[in-house]
Amino acid sequence: MIKKIVAVSVVLASGLAGASDDGLWDMSLEELGQVRVVSLATGSETPLDKAAAVATVITADDITAMGATDIDQVLETVPGLHVNRSNQTYAPKYTFRGITSLLNPQTLMLVNGIPITTAAIGNRGNVWGGMQIKSIAKIEVIRGPGSALYGADAFAGVINIVTKGKQDINGTQAGIRVGSFNTKAGWVQTGFSTANDFDIGFSLEYQTTDGQDEQVDQDIQSALDGAFGTSASLAPGGVHTGVKSTDMRLDIKKDNLRFRVGYQGRFNLENGPGLSEALDPDGQFESDRINSDLSYLFKEVIPDLDIESRVSYFYNTQEVAKGSVLFPPGTGWPDLTATPPGSQLAVFNDGIIGEPEYREEQARFDLSTVYRGVDDHRIRVGAGYFWGDLYETKEKKNFDVVFTPLGPLLQPKAGGLVDVTDTDEVFLPEKERTSYHLFAQDEWQFSDNWQLVTGVRYDDYSDFGDTVNPRAALIWATTDSITTKLLYGRAFRSPSIAELFATANPVALGNSGLEPETIDTYELALSQQVNREWLYSVNLFYYSIDDYIDFVPSAEGNVAQNIGERTGKGGEFELQYDPTTDLRLLANYAYQRATDDNTDKLVGEAPNNQIYGRTEWTFMPQWHTSLQVNWVGEQKRAKSDPRTTPVDDYVTVDLTLRKQNLIDRLDATLMVKNIFDEDVFEPSAVGGVPGDYPMAGISLFGEVAYNF
């Protein structure tokens, strides 16, 4: 068995263009079907338990079984990963192992191996609006560092979304979904081969929803009303989470050549609790996101040497679809022009309006070689170049920012709502960023049951300098059924354009002298396939973060500084039990304790404990049901939060019932989310919504799909 696992682990992957199957000839189809592989850990396809990282792979079948309608519902099932919410349009924060911040830039998300990080603010963009799941073939997740392979922002974890090609789509399917919150969705996907041997995969998804509108009793404007004697707040009122979305994917492949392009359009995206956490029922944003890549695998350029090449392009926008009101009409702020200053209020009759927009383009070129000519080694060496351009940064606003010893105060702009584009009052300057990287990795099978993976990557950035990030993984096939791994990795997060250069921003000001955040992580992992029915894994981790970026109050405002030091420890346990071919039980538990070393207090804003479980049962021919339970433990407050009571724990229960061939070639699915209508809250930002962010109660969705 060890030799067979080793055979799979040396398969050359197609993270860029395709996979070789040279090492699989001695494994039966049944054995191959039982091996779940991941390429995210080393760039080469490897059995999950032998991967040089703590990894999770979620397939399209898994997504169907759990009844997910959005990627956030899928990622919440990963141990050690919790999805909570930002105050910016309720955008998701993918929090690994307690590593959290306001905009969540410490998590790297990839689509087909290509980062979709915005240079402007360092995350996936605030105009996210969810991500539909019908075009997803699988999701690979690394819990822990990944910078030695993936560079910047592969800090707390890496999420790689692999989209469907022809090989993942069985013919043609069209479907519709309707449900709670006035949700209407439809999709079509098809896969086929042309006469000249091109494999074509295509998918198109559309959804419109009013979104959940759970109530907020008080917002930040409620506090301002209490302080200044105004009555402008729109609370109590519902959060606003509606959006229209269009997702398109095209995959064209012939032999070792592959081209993929994707488009994500978000329209009429509402502001959640409001951009300043003052309810805004009217503001809407929109975004266009395009990502494409062209790759080619040159096999056996010389004996035992393959070369992988890829060029990719990413385009992203943030645009105001309907005026964005930071604070509602009637809000009043101390008037610094009064005598004496601040003795009366300046009232904003139209509200305080800010309309930030930007566009950005990114291009990447990556080249790597895999050499297998040295006995027991597989050596991967690569280089790459990145170019990014943040341009057309635009803003309209009706306020000026005046920094005082008491903090920034907003004052009415003399001209009312003014376009400040191309002035020093715009929220972000236009900037270009370039970088290049070099990396080397060696996978050394130094005995039948031992492997050592080592690697290092060098990155050099035009705007903040260079960084070096090593990794090492010692993998021991302890017995035929047990694998033990000892892992070390260093990772970094590059400061965003906003953290480096933001000006005239009442919330945060940039600092061009910032260093990248760094993290060192140590992990010990063990997994065992007890028998054909039982599989479990357990891993322990410890990490130390240096140069954590935080915004420090000063006479000039809240300025970004490298002042943070954090440590974290914990563990994750996973269990899978398949007593029969018709029944599967899955469960996981995660514990983390993240501490701010400067205050010796818990970081907060993430659960210290999580438990997830799911049953999948085929109880009649082509009838399938799944029941999943998700318990999220209480979430402590951030160190700067005056609230002392943590966010309560909660339990949600979801049920999915699916019938294949309800009538000829027509499948039907019924999904009930949060069956018991549990009150679910996620932590709000300090000083914003005091009662935290409410999540959806019970909801019901139904879908039908026709297979042509």
Side-chain angles (χ1 to χ4, degrees):
M1 181 63 181
I2 292 176
K3 291 183 178 179
K4 293 179 179 179
I5 292 296
V6 170
V8 177
S9 70
V10 298
V11 174
L12 173 63
S14 100
L16 303 181
S20 167
D21 59 356
D22 294 343
L24 303 180
W25 61 271
D26 60 345
M27 298 187 72
S28 70
L29 291 177
E30 180 182 5
E31 289 174 312
L32 286 174
Q34 295 171 356
V35 175
R36 183 166 293 204
V37 297
V38 60
S39 61
L40 195 60
T42 61
S44 300
E45 287 189 350
T46 309
L48 191 58
D49 65 328
K50 301 299 188 293
V54 176
T56 299
V57 175
I58 303 170
T59 66
D61 289 340
D62 296 327
I63 295 172
T64 299
M66 67 181 68
T69 60
D70 185 270
I71 193 173
D72 294 350
Q73 299 167 12
V74 180
L75 294 175
E76 181 66 21
T77 70
V78 177
L81 169 58
H82 177 56
V83 183
N84 48 24
R85 295 291 154 179
S86 164
N87 66 336
Q88 303 295 300
T89 69
Y90 252 29
K93 298 199 301 181
Y94 303 124
T95 302
F96 285 89
R97 296 174 170 176
I99 300 173
T100 182
S101 62
L102 180 64
L103 297 176
N104 188 222
Q106 290 85 10
T107 295
L108 177 64
M109 180 170 278
L110 313 169
V111 174
N112 298 319
I114 301 167
I116 57 172
T117 303
T118 67
I121 53 179
N123 61 7
R124 279 74 52 198
N126 291 331
V127 191
W128 177 247
M131 183 172 181
Q132 301 179 73
I133 46 81
K134 295 298 182 182
S135 64
I136 296 176
K138 67 177 178 178
I139 302 172
E140 302 175 319
V141 181
I142 284 180
R143 307 191 297 277
S147 287
L149 270 184
Y150 298 99
D153 312 321
F155 190 88
V158 183
I159 301 167
N160 184 37
I161 302 162
V162 181
T163 58
K164 290 179 179 177
K166 181 262 179 183
Q167 71 277 10
D168 306 301
I169 302 173
N170 185 20
T172 299
Q173 183 186 80
I176 59 173
R177 181 191 313 116
V178 296
S180 298
F181 320 126
N182 195 27
T183 299
K184 304 178 183 69
W187 72 91
V188 62
Q189 57 186 20
T190 185
F192 59 93
S193 297
T194 65
N196 50 359
D197 296 327
F198 279 93
D199 291 336
I200 311 293
F202 174 80
S203 64
L204 177 66
E205 302 175 77
Y206 174 80
Q207 177 173 284
T208 177
T209 179
D210 293 342
Q212 62 100 350
D213 58 356
E214 296 291 324
Q215 293 287 293
V216 166
D217 293 329
Q218 293 182 311
D219 61 2
I220 194 171
Q221 185 62 46
S222 303
L224 294 175
D225 287 347
F228 300 140
T230 55
S231 57
S233 176
L234 300 177
V239 293
H240 306 282
T241 59
V243 65
K244 295 180 180 179
S245 58
T246 299
D247 288 28
M248 184 277 293
R249 302 284 171 187
L250 175 65
D251 186 304
I252 303 174
K253 184 176 186 297
K254 182 176 182 180
D255 299 326
N256 297 321
L257 177 69
R258 191 169 196 175
F259 172 73
R260 293 177 288 204
V261 61
Y263 168 76
Q264 293 174 272
R266 300 294 180 262
F267 314 98
N268 307 123
L269 174 66
E270 297 178 333
N271 286 334
L275 297 183
S276 296
E277 297 190 278
L279 293 180
D280 175 14
D282 298 319
Q284 296 178 351
F285 281 81
E286 60 184 35
S287 171
D288 292 312
R289 183 181 291 114
I290 299 170
N291 57 292
S292 62
D293 67 284
L294 177 66
S295 57
Y296 192 83
L297 174 62
F298 300 87
K299 299 190 67 174
E300 296 288 331
V301 177
I302 61 174
D304 299 315
L305 178 70
D306 297 343
I307 298 178
E308 300 170 296
S309 64
R310 179 181 64 195
V311 60
S312 63
Y313 173 78
F314 175 61
Y315 171 81
N316 179 54
T317 71
Q318 175 179 296
E319 301 172 78
V320 176
K322 193 175 181 180
S324 173
V325 178
L326 303 179
F327 296 92
T331 186
W333 285 61
D335 187 351
L336 297 181
T337 65
T339 306
S343 60
Q344 62 187 48
L345 296 180
V347 177
F348 290 80
N349 294 321
D350 297 324
I352 297 180
I353 302 172
E355 300 181 354
E357 300 184 336
Y358 66 84
R359 299 175 186 271
E360 67 175 303
E361 292 180 295
Q362 300 178 11
R364 300 173 188 270
F365 176 73
D366 298 282
L367 187 69
S368 66
T369 65
V370 178
Y371 183 63
R372 301 177 301 279
V374 179
D375 288 346
D376 304 320
H377 288 265
R378 180 172 51 191
I379 301 170
R380 182 181 291 269
V381 179
Y385 178 79
F386 164 81
W387 168 83
D389 184 16
L390 178 66
Y391 66 103
E392 290 189 18
T393 55
K394 302 178 181 179
E395 188 175 13
K396 292 181 181 179
K397 58 184 179 182
N398 67 346
F399 63 90
D400 292 315
V401 183
V402 179
F403 297 103
T404 74
L406 298 177
L409 292 178
L410 306 186
Q411 301 293 293
K413 186 172 282 291
L417 184 62
V418 175
D419 188 342
V420 298
T421 303
D422 296 326
T423 74
D424 58 6
E425 294 186 52
V426 72
F427 75 109
L428 276 180
E430 297 182 353
K431 288 287 183 180
E432 286 192 9
R433 166 180 278 181
T434 60
S435 70
Y436 69 88
H437 72 264
L438 305 169
F439 77 88
Q441 176 181 273
D442 178 41
E443 298 171 70
W444 178 25
Q445 193 78 39
F446 60 88
S447 75
D448 285 345
N449 57 349
W450 287 89
Q451 184 181 52
L452 178 65
V453 178
T454 56
V456 64
R457 172 164 161 155
Y458 172 80
D459 288 82
D460 186 88
Y461 279 76
S462 60
D463 49 13
F464 68 81
D466 57 6
T467 177
V468 177
N469 294 272
R471 70 179 301 203
L474 183 62
I475 304 163
W476 177 30
T478 316
T479 70
D480 283 354
S481 64
I482 298 175
T483 300
T484 307
K485 297 186 282 191
L486 181 63
L487 312 170
Y488 164 76
R490 169 171 287 187
F492 77 101
R493 180 181 79 82
S494 58
S496 67
I497 300 297
E499 289 169 325
L500 288 167
F501 304 114
T503 59
N505 189 321
V507 177
L509 296 175
N511 174 5
S512 60
L514 288 177
E515 298 290 334
E517 297 177 351
T518 61
I519 184 172
D520 291 279
T521 302
Y522 305 85
E523 299 172 277
L524 176 64
L526 181 144
S527 62
Q528 181 179 13
Q529 182 77 54
V530 179
N531 51 42
R532 293 183 64 88
E533 291 82 30
W534 288 96
L535 168 68
Y536 75 89
S537 64
V538 61
N539 63 280
L540 305 174
F541 65 84
Y542 172 85
Y543 62 78
S544 176
I545 298 174
D546 290 319
D547 292 324
Y548 195 84
I549 297 172
D550 204 352
F551 289 91
V552 180
S554 71
E556 292 78 28
N558 296 320
V559 181
Q561 301 282 356
N562 291 112
I563 66 164
E565 294 183 4
R566 296 182 176 184
T567 55
K569 59 185 177 182
E572 294 128 6
F573 175 77
E574 297 178 78
L575 178 68
Q576 180 176 314
Y577 177 48
D578 298 82
T580 71
T581 57
D582 296 328
L583 180 64
R584 167 174 289 184
L585 307 173
L586 305 99
N588 62 64
Y589 167 72
Y591 167 78
Q592 63 83 18
R593 183 180 177 86
T595 304
D596 186 311
D597 293 349
N598 293 330
T599 63
D600 200 30
K601 293 183 178 180
L602 293 182
V603 170
E605 297 189 325
N608 294 107
N609 297 274
Q610 295 171 259
I611 298 176
Y612 172 79
R614 184 172 82 246
T615 66
E616 300 174 10
W617 181 30
T618 302
F619 60 94
M620 292 174 59
Q622 297 187 321
W623 280 90
H624 311 271
T625 185
S626 73
L627 181 73
Q628 62 180 9
V629 179
N630 188 42
W631 176 71
V632 176
E634 68 176 21
Q635 301 180 64
K636 305 292 186 182
R637 299 296 180 183
K639 67 182 188 303
S640 58
D641 197 327
R643 294 172 292 181
T644 58
T645 303
V647 181
D648 288 341
D649 64 329
Y650 61 82
V651 179
T652 58
V653 180
D654 303 334
L655 176 67
T656 300
L657 179 65
R658 181 164 53 96
K659 174 65 170 72
Q660 293 176 281
N661 287 310
L662 180 67
I663 58 176
D664 185 33
R665 292 185 287 183
L666 184 72
D667 302 337
T669 306
L670 179 68
M671 298 158 284
V672 187
K673 308 292 184 184
N674 194 2
I675 291 175
F676 299 110
D677 201 23
E678 176 87 349
D679 290 332
V680 176
F681 291 89
E682 295 295 341
S684 60
V686 177
V689 176
D692 295 305
Y693 299 147
M695 300 293 108
I698 186 172
S699 55
L700 176 68
F701 301 91
E703 64 182 38
V704 293
Y706 187 78
N707 301 289
F708 293 87

